[in-house]
Amino acid sequence: MMGNGKTLYALNKQEKEFPVEISLNLAELNNRKVAITVIRDISEKKQNEAKLIHQANYDLLTNLPNRKLINDRLDQAISRANLSNNKFGVLFIDLDHFKKANDLHGHEFGDKLLICIANVLRDLLRVEDTIGRLGGDEYLVIIPDIIHSESLTNIVEKILLAIECIEPIDGKSVQIGASIGISIYPDCGRNCDQLIRNADLAMYDAKKSLGKSSYSYFEDAMFIQTAEYYALEIALQQAYENNEFYLVYQPKFEIKSQNIIGFEALLRWNNFRFSHLVPEDYIPILEKKNLINKVGDFVLKTSLEAIKHWQDLTGKELHVAVNISPYQMKDPTFSRSIEKLLETYQLDGRCLEIELTEQTLIEPSLMLDQALANLRKIGVGIALDDFGTCYSSLQYLANYPITSIKVDKSFVSGINNNNFNEIKVVLVNTIVSLGSSLNLMVTAEGIELEEQIKHLLNINCDYGQGYYFSKPLTSENIISLLVKDA
């Protein structure tokens, strides 16, 4: 080709092929027309081009196809399925607890874990299956030629089991699972966007409805659920600014005297559309949307303001317990902000108790240790909520400055003449005895029956709360109760 480059291959001395570019150009030499041929070795150029193409189509960390190549593979799968009249499945895989593992062990560990997941998928799946990484801790798998959904279910269950059984990385145990959403072509979508979106919706349904390490097939009803969820997110974002949150207080009683000694502050949301929701439904969304610190500050401020008022009114040394989110404990100013609030309302630290769950304590950190130590220095109590329901509750008693434990209502419910549960009763007895041995105050939750009070009194449980004493009350009703109790 005159004047243009064309790629050919040549042999070197070792008779190995290498790419060359040959350019032919006409020129005049001594009044004669001649052809000048230039042959260049373009091995490095070709390698760089291939590298750029690979980088544009593959994830740099796992070397799996990226979103761009996944979409191309999906288009190909749709074309083949249309020709063969077959179906194929799309699996949207989202790792459970990845952020926790990444925060606990560091980003290098997190990267190795993502690579490990990619290798697990490669080992499990066939050559004709496409495995890709969408980004973060999300993967997508294309399974062609699906005849029965049962075969797809078997593959999904194998993936879930394999991810749960990952070997330790760098000597550190891996406690991780996955949630998988499934869409099937053409039933769940006719193009790439629809198939990925619907598999994503199914994944969120699995995570929300079924819990961790589960899977769900896409259904049309998920559209409605998703629209409702987005409406809930928007409503919660506006709720704080519109002063829709308020508190109720459940009285805590001394079992022996049955006198009020304090209250547990409970968050409520005044919203007509979502009035059926309980805090467990919307607090995770507040955490996800980074609103929990604002709402948490509101709960602390309002609770301390109320307890100051009630102390001044009655002259009693009442205290208030406030549930604290793990996200609040990650704020480096958390303990200092509580100290300032106590100073503002001229309150002793002993009038406040923060209630923590396993989710807060499961990730040890210097910041957490320092925050809890600072709070104990100013007298703030630290309660371990839902004690006995978590596998490592005893470990927390040894590692953190816990001052009280709360017996979960699921155990207290076993003290029931009509539905007696011996194992639950033994657990209640053991927890109360343990608390006494460790000089920890013990509060029994969910007390509803007289026989429960009698049993807790016999085993010397310190405090109790539940509908037997009182349901949660507004601040105005608390004043009436305190005046009556006086």
Side-chain angles (χ1 to χ4, degrees):
M1 290 177 62
M2 305 297 288
N4 292 297
K6 183 176 180 180
T7 303
L8 298 172
Y9 287 88
L11 292 175
N12 60 20
K13 292 181 179 179
Q14 289 76 35
E15 296 189 354
K16 290 184 178 180
E17 282 189 351
F18 64 96
V20 296
E21 185 179 75
I22 301 176
S23 297
L24 299 175
N25 293 282
L26 291 176
E28 285 193 7
L29 181 64
N30 297 327
N31 296 321
R32 295 174 59 192
K33 288 186 177 181
V34 296
I36 299 175
T37 303
V38 178
I39 302 175
R40 291 197 301 270
D41 181 349
I42 57 171
S43 298
E44 185 175 350
K45 177 185 176 183
K46 287 295 182 182
Q47 289 171 2
N48 289 335
E49 288 176 354
K51 186 176 180 180
L52 288 174
I53 292 171
H54 187 86
Q55 289 176 349
N57 291 280
Y58 287 84
D59 175 57
L60 295 179
L61 179 65
T62 63
N63 205 35
L64 293 175
N66 60 17
R67 185 180 291 269
K68 178 177 178 291
L69 185 54
I70 288 169
N71 285 335
D72 182 65
R73 296 279 178 86
L74 272 173
D75 283 334
Q76 293 178 33
I78 290 171
S79 298
R80 286 195 300 268
N82 290 337
L83 289 173
S84 62
N85 201 29
N86 285 338
K87 296 182 178 183
F88 67 86
V90 176
L91 313 182
F92 195 112
I93 304 173
D94 181 86
L95 301 183
D96 302 328
H97 311 302
F98 172 76
K99 184 179 185 302
K100 188 179 293 184
N102 196 52
D103 291 344
L104 183 61
H105 298 303
H107 293 294
E108 183 178 352
F109 176 90
D111 287 347
K112 290 181 178 179
L113 179 54
L114 292 172
I115 294 170
C116 183
I117 297 294
N119 292 334
V120 165
L121 295 174
R122 287 190 185 99
D123 291 341
L124 273 178
L125 299 171
R126 306 166 301 180
V127 174
E128 59 265 34
D129 301 327
T130 293
I131 310 163
R133 182 181 175 216
L134 295 173
D137 59 351
E138 296 177 340
Y139 300 80
L140 192 124
V141 176
I142 305 169
I143 309 288
D145 302 325
I146 298 298
I147 300 174
H148 302 292
S149 61
E150 290 81 2
S151 61
L152 199 54
T153 298
N154 290 335
I155 293 171
V156 169
E157 290 177 345
K158 288 179 181 178
I159 291 173
L160 290 175
L161 181 61
I163 291 175
E164 284 187 331
C165 297
I166 288 177
E167 295 293 324
I169 297 174
D170 295 338
K172 299 170 184 175
S173 63
V174 180
Q175 295 178 346
I176 202 166
S179 298
I180 302 180
I182 307 162
S183 64
I184 298 176
Y185 179 86
D187 306 351
C188 305
R190 306 289 302 189
N191 59 47
C192 297
D193 291 340
Q194 290 175 355
L195 289 166
I196 295 176
R197 179 197 64 197
N198 293 343
D200 188 15
L201 290 176
M203 182 276 294
Y204 274 108
D205 179 75
K207 195 180 288 285
K208 180 182 177 183
S209 304
L210 303 174
K212 309 298 184 182
S213 292
S214 58
Y215 63 90
S216 180
Y217 282 86
F218 172 77
E219 297 175 1
D220 289 337
M222 292 176 186
F223 274 125
I224 300 173
Q225 296 170 0
T226 303
E228 188 75 357
Y229 181 82
Y230 288 144
L232 174 58
E233 284 189 338
I234 293 171
L236 283 169
Q237 288 172 335
Q238 298 170 345
Y240 179 79
E241 301 298 332
N242 294 340
N243 297 316
E244 294 177 12
F245 292 116
Y246 67 99
L247 299 183
V248 293
Y249 303 87
Q250 182 159 47
K252 290 174 64 176
F253 289 76
E254 184 182 48
I255 299 268
K256 186 175 182 180
S257 66
Q258 296 199 17
N259 291 329
I260 298 174
I261 54 93
F263 306 88
E264 180 180 359
L266 301 169
L267 183 67
R268 295 292 184 265
W269 181 23
N270 181 23
N271 184 284
F272 178 78
R273 178 174 179 180
F274 298 106
S275 59
H276 61 287
L277 298 181
V278 295
E280 288 79 5
D281 294 324
Y282 53 79
I283 285 178
I285 302 175
L286 291 175
E287 292 173 338
K288 177 184 174 183
K289 292 296 179 180
N290 296 321
L291 296 169
I292 193 64
N293 284 350
K294 285 185 178 180
V295 176
D297 289 345
F298 159 77
V299 173
L300 282 165
K301 180 179 181 298
T302 306
S303 300
L304 292 176
E305 185 177 19
I307 207 72
K308 172 63 175 175
H309 178 58
W310 298 335
Q311 284 187 356
D312 292 344
L313 184 68
T314 64
K316 294 181 179 180
E317 293 185 359
L318 301 168
H319 78 268
V320 64
V322 175
N323 294 280
I324 301 299
S325 162
Y327 290 83
Q328 291 174 267
M329 293 302 301
K330 292 178 180 179
D331 182 352
T333 66
F334 177 72
S335 60
R336 179 57 187 151
S337 65
I338 287 181
E339 190 173 0
K340 287 182 178 179
L341 283 173
L342 292 169
E343 292 170 355
T344 299
Y345 294 108
Q346 297 179 325
L347 288 167
D348 190 290
R350 290 173 296 179
C351 77
L352 174 64
E353 181 178 70
I354 63 169
E355 294 190 7
L356 307 177
T357 63
E358 178 191 28
Q359 189 180 2
T360 304
L361 302 177
I362 199 170
E363 300 178 18
S365 69
L366 184 61
M367 183 185 298
L368 175 62
D369 292 342
Q370 190 63 55
L372 295 179
N374 290 342
L375 291 173
R376 286 301 301 131
K377 282 181 183 178
I378 58 176
V380 174
I382 301 170
L384 183 54
D385 201 7
D386 303 331
F387 186 81
T389 61
C390 306
Y391 73 94
S392 53
S393 295
L394 292 176
Q395 179 181 335
Y396 302 139
L397 296 182
N399 293 345
Y400 298 103
I402 306 297
T403 57
S404 67
I405 53 181
K406 302 192 75 174
V407 185
D408 189 70
K409 62 183 179 181
S410 63
F411 297 149
V412 176
S413 67
I415 309 169
N416 187 328
N417 292 340
N418 295 323
N419 190 21
F420 186 80
N421 187 309
E422 185 177 357
I423 293 177
K424 290 183 178 181
V425 173
V426 170
L427 287 171
V428 171
N429 296 347
T430 302
I431 293 170
V432 172
S433 177
L434 176 67
S436 176
S437 300
L438 297 175
N439 293 320
L440 303 173
M441 305 307 292
V442 181
T443 301
E445 297 183 291
I447 301 173
E448 297 181 355
L449 305 171
E450 186 174 354
E451 56 257 39
Q452 293 170 346
I453 283 291
K454 289 180 179 178
H455 184 87
L456 293 167
L457 181 61
N458 288 335
I459 62 174
N460 297 316
C461 183
D462 300 300
Y463 306 128
Q465 63 185 86
Y467 276 46
Y468 177 86
F469 297 112
S470 172
K471 65 180 182 180
L473 302 170
T474 62
S475 180
E476 294 77 11
N477 290 330
I478 290 291
I479 294 174
S480 301
L481 183 66
L482 289 171
V483 171
K484 179 182 177 181
D485 188 63

